[in-house]
Amino acid sequence: MNRPPPSWLHPGVRLIEAERRVGWAEIAGQADAFEAAFQAAGGRAVLPPRGVPALVAALVAAERVGVELHLSRRTSAETDARPHQPGFAVLLETSGTTGAPKLIRHDFQRLRGRLRGGADPDARWLLAYEPAAFAGLQVILTALAAGATLVSAPGAGAAELARLAVRHGVTHISATPSFWRAFLLALDGEAPPLAAVTLGGEVADQPLLDRLAERFPNAKCRHIYASTEAGALFAVGDGKAGFPAAWLDGRIDGVDLRVHDGVLEVKSPRAMLDHEGEWLSTGDVVEVRGDRALFAGRLDGRVNVGGVKVSPEAVEQVLLDVPGVRDALVQAAANPVTGHILTALVVPVPGVEEAVLRAAIRNAVTDLPPAARPRLVTMTGGIALGAAGKKTRKGTA
């Protein structure tokens, strides 16, 4: 007879993965097999990408045995060389969007520290993040703790996930802004009955927030600020980009915020282990404009253009504000004279005239420093996303 699920997992767990329904009985069987393997492994075990049922079973088994579980985002992974700590913890890899991935250690209490809501068996969540990513794990734990149905499709893109969202009547989606732009493009007429729209992992720009509010007028829309290192920090639900500047030099949801040398720093009870009670640099550049604090790119993502440091993300925000631009990617390209130049891929709104759009883009960037103006603008039908659902940038310096 299978043992009951742990306290953090609703007994009526319901998963739909690749159109196959999975319940607790199957997960419990996998957990028993993992438990034996984890006991033999010692104090730390590695789980390569295996899908949601296996990931949940591995968490259950690791908690029972009291080992550290490394949730790998790569098929061929080795455990971390550092000595393991006693007891159950989860090791997560950062996305590596702008550099090499890092391994971050969390205990289970911190991972679940900001999860909200009670039982909600009528909710249907779509998993739009990698299961082993911090954001993906947050979605999994939130949905399964509430007894909601979780819909996932390993390796599926935005178009396939849009189809599944409509087919299964998904009510909750948490995803990156880049995913949401692709998701909106993929919807053809019919849309899922969303009650909650959540953005995270990248800057949530005002045009996208406005489009989501228009497309899903009955949904509660918010953007969450979190990271693998800092944990889940705060959520903004007023429909505006950035967050209230009054939160700086203050506390929101138990988290202290401040800006030091233009970069947001946080002190969070949900930060990675060994950093509790310490100020942690997020690496995100923040600018205060009026009563709003706005994100202006990553410190480590700045590009050296002729001796001038420019932020591709900040230039991208300018392009996204141009009417007729559905999406954009700004990145660096090597240049023999300046070292680098900025280039841009632009996804136009269907039906917009290219010459008119190019003129609008040229006009929009005239107020930027010359080094920050994209020297090559290419129109495209879509922008490829990395496995984390984010745009992958290259050529930062």
Side-chain angles (χ1 to χ4, degrees):
M1 181 176 179
N2 291 326
R3 282 177 281 180
S7 60
W8 50 268
L9 190 60
H10 192 282
V13 56
R14 291 174 294 179
L15 296 173
I16 300 175
E17 179 148 295
E19 301 288 17
R20 190 175 67 85
R21 296 181 180 271
V22 179
W24 169 244
E26 180 175 331
I27 293 173
Q30 292 188 66
D32 290 342
F34 279 131
E35 187 172 350
F38 293 170
Q39 285 174 335
R44 181 177 296 154
V46 182
L47 182 75
R50 292 276 299 273
V52 176
L55 184 148
V56 174
L59 288 172
V60 172
E63 184 181 39
R64 287 176 183 168
V65 177
V67 299
E68 293 183 341
L69 181 63
H70 174 183
L71 296 179
S72 176
R73 300 166 78 166
R74 297 163 292 167
T75 54
S76 57
E78 298 179 357
T79 189
D80 185 38
R82 293 175 299 178
H84 66 80
Q85 301 294 322
F88 174 49
V90 180
L91 303 180
L92 297 173
E93 298 172 3
T94 59
S95 63
T97 303
T98 59
K102 296 180 292 184
L103 199 59
I104 305 300
R105 184 173 179 268
H106 283 281
D107 64 23
F108 214 41
Q109 181 178 357
R110 277 173 166 67
L111 283 174
R112 300 174 59 240
R114 204 182 176 280
L115 302 186
R116 297 288 189 266
D120 192 2
D122 295 327
R124 288 176 170 255
W125 283 78
L126 181 73
L127 183 61
Y129 290 108
E130 286 179 280
F134 177 83
L137 192 55
Q138 291 279 294
V139 169
I140 293 169
L141 293 174
T142 298
L144 298 189
T149 299
L150 180 64
V151 179
S152 66
E160 174 63 12
L161 290 176
R163 185 189 69 80
L164 290 175
V166 172
R167 174 183 173 86
H168 293 289
V170 164
T171 59
H172 293 63
I173 300 179
S174 178
T176 65
S178 292
F179 175 87
W180 277 112
R181 294 186 195 99
F183 185 84
L184 289 172
L185 281 171
L187 289 177
D188 185 17
E190 192 175 5
L194 293 184
V197 168
T198 305
L199 302 87
E202 297 175 312
V203 176
D205 58 280
Q206 196 62 53
L208 177 59
L209 291 172
D210 293 342
R211 284 207 302 273
L212 288 169
E214 181 180 2
R215 192 71 171 87
F216 306 108
N218 298 320
K220 179 181 179 180
C221 184
R222 60 181 187 156
H223 45 109
I224 291 180
Y225 186 70
S227 73
T228 308
E229 298 95 328
L233 296 171
F234 57 82
V236 183
D238 59 8
K240 299 178 182 179
F243 60 92
W247 291 1
L248 293 170
D249 299 319
R251 173 170 289 195
I252 177 68
D253 202 6
V255 177
D256 295 308
L257 307 176
R258 72 181 184 187
V259 173
H260 180 68
D261 291 336
V263 177
L264 180 66
E265 296 184 342
V266 300
K267 187 187 293 185
S268 170
R270 297 177 288 277
M272 58 185 174
L273 291 176
D274 303 325
H275 279 75
E276 57 271 26
E278 298 181 10
W279 285 103
L280 182 66
S281 175
T282 65
D284 288 315
V285 178
V286 169
E287 297 178 356
V288 176
R289 301 178 189 171
D291 63 354
R292 209 71 183 172
L294 301 174
F295 293 103
R298 296 281 302 168
L299 185 65
D300 59 4
R302 290 185 170 183
V303 177
N304 191 330
V305 179
V308 179
K309 289 284 189 175
V310 297
S311 169
E313 296 101 326
V315 179
E316 204 167 278
Q317 294 303 306
V318 173
L319 298 185
L320 290 169
D321 279 335
V322 175
V325 172
R326 179 58 58 90
D327 201 357
L329 170 65
V330 176
Q331 56 189 343
N335 181 271
V337 177
T338 62
H340 293 87
I341 58 170
L342 292 188
T343 66
L345 289 175
V346 171
V347 180
V349 171
V352 69
E353 186 178 340
E354 181 175 334
V356 173
L357 183 56
R358 286 187 176 277
I361 291 172
R362 285 194 299 271
N363 183 63
V365 301
T366 53
D367 291 335
L368 295 175
R373 300 171 192 168
R375 298 303 174 184
L376 177 65
V377 176
T378 304
M379 301 295 167
T380 182
I383 294 172
L385 304 181
K390 300 179 183 181
K391 298 169 184 173
T392 301
R393 302 181 197 277
K394 57 187 178 182
T396 55

